Amino acid sequence: MTDLSPITALGAAGPWAKSYGPLSLSENTMLALTSLSLPAQTVVPSPFGLTLPEAGQSTATETHGAFWSGPNQWMIEGYGLAETDFAAVVKAEADAGYVTEQTDGWCAFDIEDASNGDAIQKLMQKLVNIDAHQFSPGSAARTGLEHMSVFVIRRSQSKLTVIGMRTLAGALMHALATAAQRLEA
């Protein structure tokens, strides 16, 4: 029998991480994701006590998060829960909704800024068509980054998460790292 070993979206045994000046970039391999969509006229649930956000927004607790992805649609996040049946847990929290497992379809990169957000704003200005000065903590958007479609979530003044398609993990990591390296220079 073949001995299968789990690998990250970048094909390694463990998550990738690198620092460039004040910016620390790391692959978040433990983020669980499910999509939640609600039929029209359905009461909006509060999975894990979250108030599901409006367009352009995100919300979070210490263990879970949600960001808007379309009319009556959200991505629900489980921090540190990638190796669980997260979709089943979300379905139990939002029984009237349509829940689809998304964890293995996406990759996430966390960007932390030791300069309290200045370097993140400069990085965003190089990479995405979002007004970095208006993209405050709690903001979320789907946008283009080079040739990819990504979700960008402002977790705090000094933390940003970029979520992209797993099949493009290498290209996404390269784009983020190259831009961060150029800012450092």
Side-chain angles (χ1 to χ4, degrees):
M1 176 174 246
T2 304
D3 183 23
L4 300 176
S5 299
I7 59 173
T8 69
L10 294 172
W16 170 85
K18 185 120 179 163
S19 292
Y20 302 93
L23 293 174
S24 296
L25 285 65
S26 61
E27 181 183 15
N28 183 345
T29 60
M30 293 306 295
L31 181 66
L33 292 169
T34 65
S35 62
L36 169 64
S37 62
L38 298 176
Q41 313 300 324
T42 302
V43 174
V44 178
S46 297
F48 313 107
L50 297 168
T51 300
L52 296 178
E54 297 292 322
Q57 299 297 306
S58 68
T59 187
T61 65
E62 287 186 27
T63 57
H64 296 89
F67 56 92
W68 186 87
S69 59
N72 290 332
Q73 298 177 31
W74 299 267
M75 286 287 254
I76 309 298
E77 303 173 292
Y79 308 135
L81 300 174
E83 295 176 355
T84 66
D85 187 359
F86 189 57
V89 177
V90 172
K91 181 64 177 169
E93 291 278 325
D95 189 44
Y98 303 111
V99 175
T100 306
E101 176 63 46
Q102 298 289 325
T103 303
D104 287 338
W106 301 89
C107 62
F109 292 92
D110 292 327
I111 304 164
E112 296 195 47
D113 183 354
S115 67
N116 199 29
D118 294 336
I120 281 179
Q121 287 187 338
K122 290 176 184 173
L123 184 70
M124 286 180 64
Q125 290 169 343
K126 286 191 164 294
L127 290 173
V128 294
N129 188 20
I130 296 173
D131 184 346
H133 299 291
Q134 298 297 316
F135 202 72
S136 58
S139 296
R142 188 164 196 171
T143 189
L145 190 154
E146 291 194 0
H147 62 284
M148 300 165 277
S149 177
V150 297
F151 289 104
V152 180
I153 305 158
R154 189 73 181 257
R155 306 275 188 202
S156 68
Q157 187 64 26
S158 59
K159 186 173 181 182
L160 185 77
T161 298
V162 179
I163 300 173
M165 291 179 280
R166 186 179 179 91
T167 56
L168 297 173
L172 180 54
M173 182 272 299
H174 182 264
L176 295 171
T178 300
Q181 186 176 25
R182 288 181 179 157
L183 284 176
E184 182 184 36

